[in-house]
Amino acid sequence: MGVVIIVMAVVSGAAGRALAAVPAATADGARVTGERWLGGREVDLTVSSPALGTTAPVRVLLPRGWSRSATRTWPVVYAYHGGRDTYVSWTRSTDIASLAAEYGVMVVMPDTGYSGWFTDWRNHGAFGPPKWETFHTRELTRLMERDYHASTARAAMGISSSGYGAIKYAARHPGMFRYAVSLSGILHLTQTGIPPLILLEASERYDPFRIWGDPTLDRANWEANDPYVQAPHLRGTGMYIASGLTGRPGPYDHPAPGNDGIEAQEILCGATTVSFVKRLKRLGIPATTHIYGDGYHDWTTWQPELHRAWPLMMAAVGAVRTSAAQTT
């Protein structure tokens, strides 16, 4: 098995104790090289990833009753962050920690890169790192299941570009996720007008053609990573799909007086979401949908959508309400 990484910390709560030895790499070479406890049931991991060619942070919410020596496993939600955000976004901008505490469920929130696009990059035909899809769907799931008692009852969830990631992963890996949630996601990657906008965002940091290649010359690769094209593989996966359409402020948004600007990003996400939902209907694949019209491309709108999606995810992965939550 190789070397053993020793990480020591003192934490509080049900999970609190000096940490035992953290096992070394899994068969694919990924390993946890650090743990930083933020509370009794919240920990930030540092994962060394061969797929990425570097380390990546991952925030984890652990359920009541979890311990390193537990003999049982828990259902898990993989919650991905948006293209320009970071792995702390869900705990920073929503009450996901409180929601998770009410159920026997883990929540895993990994880094997804700056516009990493949930893809093993083509790199102009050279391939190699970063392989975000491999990191999320192979390396990270194996580590969580081997070392942190995550079960194979999984859900995936995301907003904006990570809504794309959640649905794409469910389509490209049938059976891996029992439920997938997209809030304002890009769900038709090759829809007219969408590739240039995605490439423009990615160009803020790097050569955007490294991701999927050229939208015309490498069309097959774009389609292989397009939830719309891959939709037939979603049969049997539960889904919650939500988005606005108008880009105007909705009932949960509070723009400054005199600012009633329209967010073009939400209009575009809404257009791809509608296209995707129509394709699901043509295929006879059921999904719970909420196309709500007005609403910004922002956490103010996604927070209530999280509350709508959460019980559906919990039912799908078999997570039950904890006794502590039932008595409050």
Side-chain angles (χ1 to χ4, degrees):
M1 292 292 293
V3 298
V4 174
I5 308 298
I6 305 295
V7 182
M8 300 299 292
V10 177
V11 298
S12 59
R17 57 179 55 86
L19 297 179
V22 177
T26 55
D28 50 30
R31 63 182 182 181
V32 174
T33 58
E35 293 181 343
R36 182 170 67 93
W37 288 85
L38 309 176
R41 292 192 298 273
E42 185 173 358
V43 59
D44 281 356
L45 309 179
T46 300
V47 176
S48 176
S49 164
L52 298 180
T54 187
T55 60
V58 180
R59 178 162 291 182
V60 181
L61 300 175
L62 298 165
R64 298 179 189 275
W66 183 93
S67 71
R68 195 173 296 279
S69 60
T71 57
R72 59 159 294 185
T73 60
W74 282 268
V76 57
V77 173
Y78 289 89
Y80 307 117
H81 69 77
R84 293 186 177 97
D85 216 324
T86 75
Y87 73 104
V88 307
S89 66
W90 283 98
T91 53
R92 179 203 66 216
S93 299
T94 76
D95 61 350
I96 194 170
S98 297
L99 284 175
E102 295 180 3
Y103 289 84
V105 68
M106 299 175 62
V107 181
V108 178
M109 297 160 281
D111 183 33
T112 74
Y114 186 97
S115 294
W117 280 103
F118 304 87
T119 295
D120 289 359
W121 287 15
R122 190 173 183 278
N123 286 320
H124 302 291
F127 302 98
K131 298 180 179 180
W132 288 106
E133 184 170 356
T134 297
F135 170 59
H136 292 143
T137 63
R138 293 185 59 185
E139 293 179 344
L140 183 59
T141 55
R142 289 174 180 177
L143 284 171
M144 297 311 302
E145 289 159 18
R146 190 193 70 173
D147 300 337
Y148 294 92
H149 308 300
S151 78
T152 57
R154 311 179 192 96
M157 176 173 63
I159 52 91
S160 192
S161 65
S162 65
Y164 158 84
I167 301 298
K168 170 194 159 173
Y169 285 169
R172 283 174 56 88
H173 304 273
M176 173 170 281
F177 299 100
R178 297 185 183 181
Y179 208 87
V181 174
S182 171
L183 308 181
S184 302
I186 300 289
L187 301 184
H188 190 170
L189 186 67
T190 57
Q191 187 171 344
T192 300
I194 297 302
L197 296 171
I198 290 174
L199 294 172
L200 179 63
E201 178 187 276
S203 69
E204 295 171 358
R205 290 283 181 92
Y206 45 77
D207 173 2
F209 294 102
R210 291 179 58 199
I211 307 173
W212 302 290
D214 183 277
T216 300
L217 299 177
D218 302 299
R219 177 81 177 188
N221 193 44
W222 281 73
E223 291 184 347
N225 288 279
D226 188 344
Y228 179 90
V229 176
Q230 301 302 319
H233 302 298
L234 288 163
R235 197 176 304 277
T237 300
M239 286 176 280
Y240 183 87
I241 310 293
S243 183
L245 291 177
T246 68
R248 292 193 295 263
Y252 306 103
D253 300 310
H254 303 286
N259 177 19
D260 57 354
I262 294 176
E263 290 190 342
Q265 189 172 12
E266 187 66 13
I267 296 174
L268 294 168
C269 290
T272 69
T273 296
V274 168
S275 178
F276 176 77
V277 168
K278 287 180 177 179
R279 177 154 165 80
L280 291 180
K281 289 180 179 179
R282 289 195 298 270
L283 293 168
I285 298 176
T288 300
T289 62
H290 185 206
I291 309 301
Y292 44 81
D294 293 346
Y296 275 166
H297 196 79
D298 193 84
W299 292 103
T300 53
T301 298
W302 298 327
Q303 163 76 8
E305 292 303 319
L306 169 63
H307 278 253
R308 293 184 180 97
W310 191 262
L312 303 176
M313 281 195 298
M314 295 301 96
V317 300
V320 298
R321 291 179 67 88
T322 64
S323 58
Q326 291 168 348
T327 59
T328 58

